[in-house]
Amino acid sequence: MSSRITPEQIDRIVGNQHHNPFEVLGSHKFEQDGKVCWVVRAYLPNAEAAWVLLPTERKSYPMQSVHHPHFFEVEIEIPRLANYQLRIKKGGREWVSYDPYGFRSAKLTEFDLHLFAEGNHHRIYEKLGAHPTEIDRVEGVYFAVWAPNARNVSVIGDFNDWDGRQHQMRKGATGIWELFIPELGVGAAYKYEIKNSEGHIYQKSDPYGFQQEVRPKTASIVTDLDGYEWHDHDWMEHRRHTDPLRQPISVYEIHLGSWLHGSSAELPQGANGETLTVVTVSDLKPGARFLTYRELAQKLIPYIKELGFTHIEILPLAEHPFDGSWGYQLTGYYACTSRYGSPQDLMFLIDQCHQNGIGVILDWVPGHFPKDAHGLAFFDGTHLYEYADPRQGEHQEWGTLVFNYGRNEVRNFLVANALFWFDKYHIDGMRVDAVASMLYLDYLRGDRQWIPNQYGGRENLEAVDFLRQTHHVIFGYYPGVLSIAEESTDWPMVSWPNYLGGLGFNLKWNMGWMHDTLDYFSMDPWFRQFHQNNVTFSMWYNHAENYMLALSHDEVVHGKSNMLGKIPGDEWLKFANLRCLYAYMFAHPGKKTLFMSMEFGQWSEWNVWGDLEWDLLQYQPHKNLKQFITDLNYLYRREPALYTQDFDQDGFEWIDCSDNRHSVVSFIRYAHDSEEFIVTVCNFTPQPHSHYRVGVPEMGFYKELLNSDARQYGGSNMGNLGGKWTDEWFFHNHYYSLDLCLPPLGVLILKLDDQKTQAELQ
C-alpha cells in the first residue's frame, strides 16, 4: 500500500504545505488484477486508530499508519465508493464522521471564477464565505476564501480544536481556496488559518462571513441568511416604482449603541421567547447594556413615527472591533454587528421599519479599513486588499489602510458588498463615508507622500471607476434606492448619473451650506447683517448637485459643542435661534438630516458611551423643541412645494435675499406639476419687524402654516393671527404683497388658502 504514495507527499500534508490535499487525501480509484479498487487516506493528528465505514455494508475496514503515525490508509476492493465515513479513536474515545476529502463537488463554477477575476460577480457573497449546503445527500458547510498568495489555508474552529492540520483547503486556479466540511452547521465559530510563503501563520476571520462573535472575540460564525420571512413586499414594490428625489426625505441619523441603553438586570427575549445574551457597554456606565435590534424595533420605531421623520440613517452596522470607532473601522463587511443581536434580528428591525412607513439608510465605509490582525490587513501574507505602497495604501492620520480599487477582486468585494445590504437586508439607501478620501490621492498627505495617477494628477481614477461601477450595479438591481455621498470638496457631478459623466450618487451632503449656516448662527445676531451671504450663497450653487442638508454627528463631537452650545445668548435666545435654524433648513431646497438629540436640544456633546440626555424632556423648553421638530416634519411631508422640486431651478424663487440691514430673507418654493407654492420669510435677529412687506405671486389669503415663534414652541407668540390678506401693492416684482409682522428670530411659512380666497371673492 505504501508504494502508492511517497513519503514526500505525506510530509507535505503533515507539514501543511500542500495546495491541493485532495490529490493525497480522500478516496482514489485504481485497478488491480482487473478489479476496481479504492484507496482511502486520512491525516488525523493525534489519532490512535481509524477505520473506514461503508454505508452499504455493515463492515469496517481498519486503516494502517503509513510513513507517519497519524497518516492512515486502507485499500478496499469495491466497484463504487461514496459517502463513506471514518471511525476515529483519539484520547480514549471514538466517534464517526464523514471525511471532508470524500466530497469533491465544488460550489464555484468556471463562470463564477471568470466573473470574480474580472470584478463583475455581483453576488459573489453567495459563493465565497461559509454556506450551509448539501453535497451527495450529506449536510454540511461549504467554505471558500480568496487568498491567492497563501501557501496553505485551513478552516479552524471549535470543531477541530482550532488545529489547522485537520481541515486543509484546496486551491483553485484563481486563488480561491475551498472545502466542504460535512455535518457542520449554523452556529459554528470558525476562522481561516493562512500560511504565507515563508511559513508565517495568520488567523483571519472570514471576509465574506455573515456573522462574527461578540467583541472582543473575533471568529466568524456560520449563518444562514435566507431563513427570515419578510413582510415588506408592498413597501419594496412601491419603492421600486418611485423617484426618491421627488419625495420628502427627512432623516434621523442614529448610533444604535448610544441612543438608549438597557439595564443588565433586565434581560431581553428573542423571537422564540429565549433569553438573549446581552452586551455591556462600558465601565463609564456600570450595569448598562446595548439594546437588541428587536428591543430597538419596539422603542425606536414609535419614536420616529411620533417625530415624523421619513427615514432613519444608522451609523455603520457592519462588524467592528472597537465601540469607540462609532462603526467606521470595519473588520466584517458582510456581517452585521453582533452587539445588538443576530442578522435575523436586524432583518426584523428593518422589516418593522418598512411596515411602519420608515425607510432605512446605512452608513457604508469603502474608503478604508483598520489594521486589526484578524481583519483584511495583510490578509494572505501580502498586501492583498490594500495598496502595497503606503503612499497609496495607508491613511496615516487615521491609522487605517486603503482598498486597492484597481484590483478586480477587491473591487468586486466592495461592489458586491454594497449590493449585499440591499439584497439580504432590504435597506433603502447607503450614506458613503469619506468619499473625498477615496477620490484624492493626496488626501491628508504631505509632499512626496503620495503617488500621482498615470496622467500626473491627484485624482484616484481607480476609485472613480469603482464608485461608478457600484452605482451602475445597485441602481440596476434596485431602482428607487438612495446613495448619499459625504463629499467635502468641489469634485464636480458627484450626484450626477454615470451616463452623464458623474459618480452616480443621487444625493450629496451640502457641506458648504452646513458650515456657512452654523457659522452664521454662532454669531451674535447684531453681526449677522454683515454676513447675509452665509444664508444666501447656497442658492448660487444649489442646482449643481442634488443636495442633502445635513446636521450630522460630526458637528456635535470633538469640542464642537451640541447645537444649543453653538449659539450665543441666554436660554430663550438659544432655543429661538435653533427653531429659526431648523425652520430655515426645512424650507430651504434639499433633503434633510438631523442627528439624534438635536430634536430636543441636548446640551452636552454626543458621547458614544452614554445615553442621550432623555431626562431633559421633563423641562418645557426641550419638550417644546421636540414638538416643533414634529410639527416641522409633518408640515414638510404634507406640502409638495417643500420637496418635489428640490433640484429644479423652477422650484425656487427669491423674494428678497438682499435685506441684510434687517437680516431677513424671503423666498418661494413651487410644487412639481402643480400651482401650489409656499412663501417663507426668515428674521434672523431678535428684533421684531412690524409692517414688513413681501411680494407674492397671487392675490388672496395667505395662511400661516408655521410660526417658529408661536407660544406652543416657547416663543413670544408674535405673528399675524393665523394669516394675512394680500394688498394690491406692487412689490418685489410681484403685483401683490403681504404686510407681515415678523417675530423675533422667527420663521414664517405661509401658503395661499384657495378655499378662503375663493369664498371671499364670491
Side-chain angles (χ1 to χ4, degrees):
M1 290 186 293
S2 61
S3 63
R4 299 185 182 278
I5 189 169
T6 66
E8 289 75 18
Q9 289 176 297
I10 295 175
D11 288 343
R12 290 178 66 193
I13 294 294
V14 172
N16 205 349
Q17 296 179 355
H18 206 300
H19 73 280
N20 185 8
F22 284 85
E23 292 181 357
V24 178
L25 302 177
S27 60
H28 300 267
K29 185 177 179 181
F30 68 97
E31 288 192 10
Q32 182 171 291
D33 299 330
K35 297 179 180 180
V36 176
C37 298
W38 297 82
V39 59
V40 178
R41 304 189 189 98
Y43 175 48
L44 307 170
N46 303 321
E48 300 156 13
W51 296 261
V52 172
L53 305 181
L54 302 184
T56 58
E57 300 183 20
R58 296 183 178 179
K59 184 177 180 181
S60 62
Y61 296 84
M63 305 181 77
Q64 298 181 12
S65 296
V66 180
H67 294 307
H68 189 279
H70 303 141
F71 191 95
F72 298 90
E73 181 181 87
V74 65
E75 287 186 359
I76 304 172
E77 184 182 313
I78 189 172
R80 184 175 180 273
L81 182 65
N83 289 6
Y84 66 89
Q85 294 176 304
L86 299 177
R87 191 171 92 218
I88 303 168
K89 181 180 180 181
K90 179 166 53 173
R93 68 183 186 93
E94 295 186 11
W95 69 92
V96 174
S97 65
Y98 287 97
D99 182 4
Y101 301 101
F103 299 85
R104 298 179 178 273
S105 299
K107 192 178 178 74
L108 285 156
T109 66
E110 290 297 325
F111 190 50
D112 290 326
L113 299 176
H114 170 76
L115 289 176
F116 181 60
E118 69 176 17
N120 287 318
H121 200 309
H122 299 160
R123 288 193 165 96
I124 190 63
Y125 50 84
E126 294 182 347
K127 299 301 178 83
L128 297 186
H131 299 275
T133 189
E134 182 181 294
I135 295 179
D136 296 339
R137 301 186 301 279
V138 176
E139 293 184 350
V141 178
Y142 172 82
F143 295 90
V145 62
W146 179 59
N149 303 305
R151 189 181 74 186
N152 298 92
V153 180
S154 301
V155 184
I156 56 176
D158 291 331
F159 48 87
N160 62 14
D161 298 322
W162 302 91
D163 186 346
R165 298 174 295 172
Q166 295 195 44
H167 290 97
Q168 301 176 40
M169 304 179 79
R170 168 177 56 194
K171 183 180 182 181
T174 58
I176 294 177
W177 300 74
E178 58 180 353
L179 183 68
F180 174 73
I181 301 182
E183 302 172 297
L184 202 61
V186 169
Y190 71 98
K191 284 186 177 182
Y192 296 114
E193 181 183 279
I194 299 174
K195 283 186 180 180
N196 69 1
S197 59
E198 298 176 350
H200 298 156
I201 297 176
Y202 308 87
Q203 291 189 358
K204 296 288 189 177
S205 56
D206 190 346
Y208 290 88
F210 295 151
Q211 188 176 1
Q212 286 189 10
E213 294 178 306
V214 177
R215 53 97 175 108
K217 295 182 177 181
T218 57
S220 299
I221 298 174
V222 176
T223 306
D224 183 3
L225 295 184
D226 296 327
Y228 182 81
E229 183 179 352
W230 290 88
H231 299 89
D232 62 349
H233 176 268
D234 291 344
W235 171 276
M236 299 289 282
E237 193 61 23
H238 179 264
R239 186 188 75 185
R240 181 177 182 83
H241 299 286
T242 301
D243 178 2
L245 300 185
R246 298 285 188 193
Q247 303 303 310
I249 297 177
S250 174
V251 180
Y252 185 80
E253 187 189 28
I254 180 172
H255 177 257
L256 295 186
S258 57
W259 181 72
L260 179 67
H261 291 139
S263 169
S264 298
E266 301 174 359
L267 300 181
Q269 292 187 336
N272 300 317
E274 73 278 13
T275 300
L276 299 178
T277 301
V278 298
V279 182
T280 56
V281 180
S282 168
D283 292 338
L284 295 178
K285 188 176 181 183
R289 64 169 177 85
F290 291 128
L291 296 179
T292 67
Y293 292 118
R294 290 181 180 270
E295 287 179 303
L296 286 160
Q298 297 172 356
K299 298 177 183 293
L300 176 62
I301 292 173
Y303 185 73
I304 298 302
K305 288 187 69 175
E306 176 193 357
L307 289 173
F309 286 96
T310 64
H311 292 71
I312 58 173
E313 178 192 323
I314 307 176
L315 269 62
L317 282 184
E319 195 58 83
H320 50 284
F322 178 49
D323 297 350
S325 77
W326 311 343
Y328 289 100
Q329 296 202 14
L330 309 180
T331 51
Y333 273 75
Y334 285 83
C336 70
T337 179
S338 52
R339 287 168 175 78
Y340 317 122
S342 69
Q344 290 73 22
D345 294 336
L346 175 56
M347 293 175 186
F348 176 80
L349 170 60
I350 296 173
D351 198 1
Q352 290 296 306
C353 283
H354 288 173
Q355 293 180 55
N356 284 275
I358 300 169
V360 179
I361 300 166
L362 290 188
D363 275 15
W364 187 52
V365 192
H368 60 112
F369 59 94
K371 300 176 181 179
D372 295 68
H374 67 282
L376 298 175
F378 215 61
F379 186 77
D380 63 354
T382 68
H383 297 284
L384 185 65
Y385 283 89
E386 66 271 26
Y387 290 104
D389 193 317
R391 293 175 297 172
Q392 292 176 291
E394 185 172 356
H395 285 307
Q396 294 186 358
E397 290 197 18
W398 298 346
T400 55
L401 302 176
V402 181
F403 283 104
N404 184 347
Y405 305 110
R407 178 169 282 164
N408 290 348
E409 296 89 348
V410 174
R411 193 172 64 253
N412 201 147
F413 171 83
L414 291 171
V415 171
N417 183 246
L419 184 68
F420 165 82
W421 291 99
F422 291 98
D423 179 17
K424 297 298 185 181
Y425 286 96
H426 290 202
I427 67 167
D428 303 288
M430 60 184 187
R431 201 273 306 191
V432 183
D433 179 63
V435 174
S437 73
M438 303 164 62
L439 294 176
Y440 295 98
L441 295 167
D442 62 346
Y443 186 83
L444 295 181
R445 301 178 190 276
D447 294 339
R448 303 191 194 90
Q449 293 181 346
W450 59 282
I451 300 175
N453 62 33
Q454 58 185 309
Y455 303 108
R458 56 196 285 255
E459 300 82 9
N460 190 335
L461 303 179
E462 294 170 345
V464 170
D465 289 341
F466 154 67
L467 290 171
R468 287 172 174 164
Q469 181 184 358
T470 299
H471 292 120
H472 173 76
V473 170
I474 64 170
F475 290 130
Y477 283 99
Y478 297 104
V481 301
L482 296 170
S483 179
I484 307 163
E486 185 215 7
E487 203 286 309
S488 55
T489 73
D490 58 355
W491 187 284
M493 301 188 293
V494 171
S495 59
W496 290 32
N498 291 352
Y499 62 82
L500 292 177
L503 294 182
F505 294 92
N506 50 11
L507 286 171
K508 173 185 174 176
W509 275 10
N510 193 335
M511 309 295 280
W513 173 89
M514 180 271 295
H515 286 297
D516 287 346
T517 300
L518 293 183
D519 286 348
Y520 185 79
F521 277 89
S522 67
M523 298 176 191
D524 184 290
W526 188 85
F527 292 101
R528 292 176 184 173
Q529 61 184 308
F530 307 112
H531 299 275
Q532 184 92 340
N533 193 51
N534 280 46
V535 288
T536 61
F537 179 64
S538 58
M539 287 311 303
W540 286 98
Y541 61 84
N542 184 69
H543 305 296
E545 300 278 4
N546 300 331
Y547 281 117
M548 172 171 276
L549 310 183
L551 299 174
S552 75
H553 64 278
D554 284 327
E555 310 318 315
V556 292
V557 290
H558 303 321
K560 298 178 183 177
S561 182
N562 215 309
M563 297 301 294
L564 286 171
K566 299 176 188 295
I567 298 170
D570 59 23
E571 183 178 283
W572 190 93
L573 288 171
K574 287 178 180 291
F575 278 96
N577 265 293
L578 197 52
R579 293 192 304 272
C580 186
L581 187 161
Y582 290 157
Y584 158 70
M585 172 184 180
F586 273 72
H588 189 288
K591 309 309 180 184
K592 327 296 178 187
T593 293
L594 286 178
F595 185 56
M596 64 182 193
S597 81
M598 292 182 181
E599 75 276 14
F600 62 81
Q602 179 166 306
W603 287 98
S604 63
E605 289 188 340
W606 170 46
N607 177 10
V608 72
W609 308 109
D611 292 337
L612 301 186
E613 295 178 343
W614 295 108
D615 59 314
L616 291 175
L617 285 172
Q618 65 184 300
Y619 303 111
Q620 200 62 44
H622 299 276
K623 290 172 63 176
N624 292 340
L625 182 60
K626 179 171 173 278
Q627 184 60 53
F628 179 71
I629 287 293
T630 300
D631 292 350
L632 195 56
N633 264 320
Y634 279 100
L635 170 64
Y636 168 66
R637 296 171 63 169
R638 193 169 61 241
E639 298 297 334
L642 293 177
Y643 61 80
T644 54
Q645 290 202 100
D646 278 319
F647 316 114
D648 301 337
Q649 293 190 9
D650 293 339
F652 180 89
E653 176 190 337
W654 282 116
I655 297 175
D656 187 0
C657 63
S658 59
D659 187 6
N660 59 296
R661 187 169 66 89
H662 296 102
S663 295
V664 173
V665 298
S666 51
F667 53 87
I668 302 173
R669 298 290 307 280
Y670 292 95
H672 177 67
D673 289 339
S674 169
E675 295 182 356
E676 291 188 2
F677 60 91
I678 293 288
V679 173
T680 299
V681 186
C682 307
N683 177 17
F684 295 122
T685 72
Q687 175 65 46
H689 302 295
S690 59
H691 303 294
Y692 191 92
R693 187 166 294 278
V694 295
V696 291
E698 295 185 24
M699 67 174 296
F701 182 79
Y702 283 74
K703 182 179 180 181
E704 201 173 73
L705 300 181
L706 182 86
N707 179 350
S708 69
D709 189 52
R711 178 179 290 112
Q712 64 263 34
Y713 306 135
S716 63
N717 208 39
M718 295 186 66
N720 299 277
L721 301 177
K724 271 296 184 74
W725 286 94
T726 55
D727 298 318
E728 197 168 337
W729 184 334
F730 186 87
F731 209 71
H732 290 142
N733 292 319
H734 290 288
Y735 288 103
Y736 308 97
S737 58
L738 295 169
D739 180 8
L740 297 173
C741 172
L742 302 189
L745 292 169
V747 174
L748 302 178
I749 297 180
L750 306 108
K751 181 181 180 182
L752 181 66
D753 188 332
D754 288 327
Q755 293 183 348
K756 190 168 185 175
T757 300
Q758 291 299 324
E760 182 70 20
L761 292 175
Q762 292 174 0

